[in-house]
Amino acid sequence: MAHYAVRESPPLRGEIPISTSKNAVLPIMCGALLTGEDVRIERVPELTDVKTLCALLASCGCSVKKEGDALVLNAGALQNPQDEEDVRKMRASVLVLGPLLSRLGEARIPLPGGCAIGQRPIDQHLKGFRMLGANVEQMGGRIKAKADVLTGTDVVFDCVSVGATINVMLAAAKAHGTTIIYNAAKEPHVVDLANFLNSMGARVKGAGTDVIRIFGRDYLHGANYTVIPDQIETGTLMIAAAATHGDVELTGCIPTHMEALSAKLLEMGARVTESDDTLRVRGTLCGYRGVNIKTQVYPGFPTDLQQPMSTLLTTAMGQSIVRETIFESRLKHLTEIGHMGAHVQFVDNATAIIEGVPELYGAPVTATDLRAGAALVIAGLMARGVTEIYEPEYIDRGYEHLEDKLCSLGAEIRREKFE
Ligand code: UD1
């Protein structure tokens, strides 16, 4: 067992490189199952979710080799997962369903686990498979999908789902004929997956809009691919820079992915400037203005940045209203930050009214999910004294060396082990 001890931070200063995207690399690793040839993914981030997915792919008969920070995957001997424990550990493991169904004609996995931020149904994934001609059963906590042949068709999603869009893209890449996904997710990692599939010889058009066309191909070949920078890591570090009144330059990022956040930070009074692949955030000591946040699908304000951002709002002047519209249970970190002196009134599970306080003070708090963990680290940087964060393992799932990166900018964070 371990916890983080985070001390009130001086203004963070310096330059920090952004890692490649967790939410892009996981579906791309699953996409490697669509070919029996080698797929090499460069600069894969060191994350527990990546390790868990490597173990799951290995149990699907995929060879997984690490070469420096690259991963070489070969799914020449693909099979359904033999060890199902890893599926239960991680929500993204559901993304093996599409490739298994496409390559083997049958996919069998238990229902996936993941962060406790809401119910997270997968009905839209299964609806997509059914539309492509699969027979899908969900019984006793297991999913079984079978199809002698997948046939391209129109798939109209009832809600915008990143995972369902990705899973159907994966299943349709080798289907017979053309699949058109309506109401598709537009997130940057959906576009990155499309680019990756196209680098394997697939024909995917329209990713980044809400209509994606996938012209099925019989054969996909191996590829060598570098994943996009992590939008959420970029945003989390931007917020950390502002929260400590610092001056931080983020390098190797994509500023256009950050527009919703940059606009809110500017509205609060921080300075954000950008070049082609860098973003500089300069905080202010004059106090931030409270702003309202409503999470939305891309290009709206990302739900994954709501938790770090609402943390910053706890010391902004005046009132801020935070509305979480994507996941029904993603404000638990604010209860924890309440123990650190924040004034938060919950209208319901998804809406909070924050009255800014002059300062937070350190207290023991517990991370309840990945982004909540990062939010508590930011709260710790802002708070007087020392904040102990329990269950920091959540953070390792999706942030590559977060504490090292923050410490290189001047933060003081220690990982303390206890029995
Ligand atoms: C992905 C991201 C996650 C991010 C989320 C929203 C990955 C690995 N994870 O998660 O970090 O927070 O997008 O940007 O990329 N829904 C249904 N039925 C479905 C699928 C989803 O009702 O079949 C609902 C969900 O309950 C949720 C909403 O749709 O309310 C969005 O979920 P979705 O976009 O699917 O999120 P994930 O792909 O799980």
Side-chain angles (χ1 to χ4, degrees):
M1 299 275 275
H3 71 262
Y4 274 165
V6 183
R7 192 170 283 281
E8 180 184 9
S9 180
L12 296 180
R13 285 187 197 286
E15 210 180 279
I16 199 80
I18 295 302
S19 300
T20 53
S21 163
K22 165 184 103 71
N23 284 351
V25 79
L26 299 176
I28 284 171
M29 288 168 67
C30 295
L33 301 183
L34 288 169
T35 177
E37 299 176 16
D38 276 5
V39 170
R40 183 182 170 92
I41 310 171
E42 307 289 347
R43 286 189 55 220
V44 172
E46 271 187 48
L47 305 171
T48 4
D49 271 9
V50 168
K51 282 193 196 127
T52 306
L53 186 57
C54 282
L56 171 59
L57 297 190
S59 102
C60 292
C62 176
S63 110
V64 179
K65 279 192 223 138
K66 223 171 167 319
E67 292 182 2
D69 60 4
L71 259 188
V72 182
L73 305 173
N74 184 300
L78 189 65
Q79 58 183 1
N80 270 288
Q82 303 301 296
D83 177 358
E84 298 186 335
E85 201 37 50
D86 291 313
V87 179
R88 293 197 176 88
K89 283 189 197 155
M90 187 179 60
R91 165 84 184 175
S93 58
V94 74
L95 302 179
V96 298
L97 270 178
L100 289 174
L101 185 58
S102 163
R103 282 272 311 279
L104 304 176
E106 183 172 359
R108 283 177 276 115
I109 63 166
L111 280 172
C115 281
I117 54 179
Q119 280 192 25
R120 308 191 82 174
I122 55 165
D123 57 303
Q124 298 304 303
H125 302 234
L126 305 187
K127 170 182 171 173
F129 298 147
R130 287 191 182 106
M131 299 299 293
L132 292 170
N135 185 359
V136 184
E137 288 171 31
Q138 186 179 337
M139 265 190 341
R142 300 188 61 78
I143 302 154
K144 188 169 157 192
K146 216 168 178 313
D148 293 333
V149 63
L150 292 173
T151 308
T153 184
D154 289 0
V155 175
V156 185
F157 285 129
D158 301 333
C159 63
V160 180
S161 159
V162 174
T165 302
I166 285 173
N167 231 340
V168 170
M169 283 165 73
L170 291 168
K174 294 184 76 201
H176 288 188
T178 303
T179 302
I180 306 181
I181 303 177
Y182 294 94
N183 206 15
K186 300 190 282 267
E187 267 64 7
H189 43 296
V190 171
V191 179
D192 206 35
L193 175 69
N195 289 337
F196 166 71
L197 290 173
N198 289 340
S199 79
M200 297 172 81
R203 227 176 130 219
V204 181
K205 305 266 176 206
T209 75
D210 50 17
V211 180
I212 301 179
R213 288 181 165 73
I214 304 136
F215 304 91
R217 286 285 164 102
D218 287 343
Y219 163 72
L220 297 185
H221 51 73
N224 192 334
Y225 197 76
T226 305
V227 174
I228 51 167
D230 195 301
Q231 177 201 21
I232 308 304
E233 186 201 31
T234 308
T236 303
L237 292 171
M238 288 170 73
I239 294 166
T244 59
H245 317 286
D247 182 352
V248 175
E249 185 156 62
L250 305 149
T251 61
C253 59
I254 301 182
T256 47
H257 291 169
M258 307 313 308
E259 273 163 11
L261 174 64
S262 297
K264 282 294 164 189
L265 288 175
L266 286 166
E267 197 182 328
M268 290 180 74
R271 278 191 289 169
V272 182
T273 47
E274 61 183 58
S275 72
D276 285 351
D277 67 348
T278 66
L279 267 166
R280 182 173 174 195
V281 178
R282 278 170 285 181
T284 173
L285 280 168
C286 303
Y288 293 113
R289 290 180 285 279
V291 295
N292 297 335
I293 301 288
K294 182 180 174 192
T295 61
Q296 286 176 322
V297 295
Y298 189 81
F301 195 93
T303 172
D304 286 354
L305 289 175
Q306 175 271 111
Q307 290 149 302
M309 186 64 172
S310 50
T311 303
L312 174 60
L313 292 174
T314 60
T315 59
M317 290 177 293
Q319 190 180 78
S320 302
I321 300 175
V322 177
R323 280 206 284 155
E324 171 56 62
T325 72
I326 310 289
F327 292 110
E328 59 273 28
S329 188
R330 214 173 195 185
L331 297 177
K332 291 181 205 151
H333 63 295
L334 287 174
T335 305
E336 294 297 301
I337 299 169
H339 303 319
M340 300 171 69
H343 284 184
V344 183
Q345 186 197 332
F346 293 97
V347 178
D348 52 42
N349 273 351
T351 308
I353 301 173
I354 299 172
E355 295 292 343
V357 292
E359 61 183 19
L360 301 177
Y361 45 84
V365 288
T366 303
T368 49
D369 65 77
L370 162 60
R371 307 301 173 189
L376 294 178
V377 170
I378 291 173
L381 298 175
M382 292 161 64
R384 289 225 175 276
V386 177
T387 300
E388 288 168 9
I389 303 173
Y390 291 86
E391 307 209 18
E393 300 78 22
Y394 279 115
I395 300 168
D396 302 331
R397 285 190 46 195
Y399 289 94
E400 190 178 39
H401 310 311
L402 182 66
E403 77 263 36
D404 295 345
K405 286 192 173 181
L406 290 169
C407 289
S408 77
L409 297 170
E412 202 184 307
I413 303 174
R414 283 195 322 275
R415 190 179 288 237
E416 296 179 341
K417 294 225 181 315
F418 61 96
E419 291 306 312

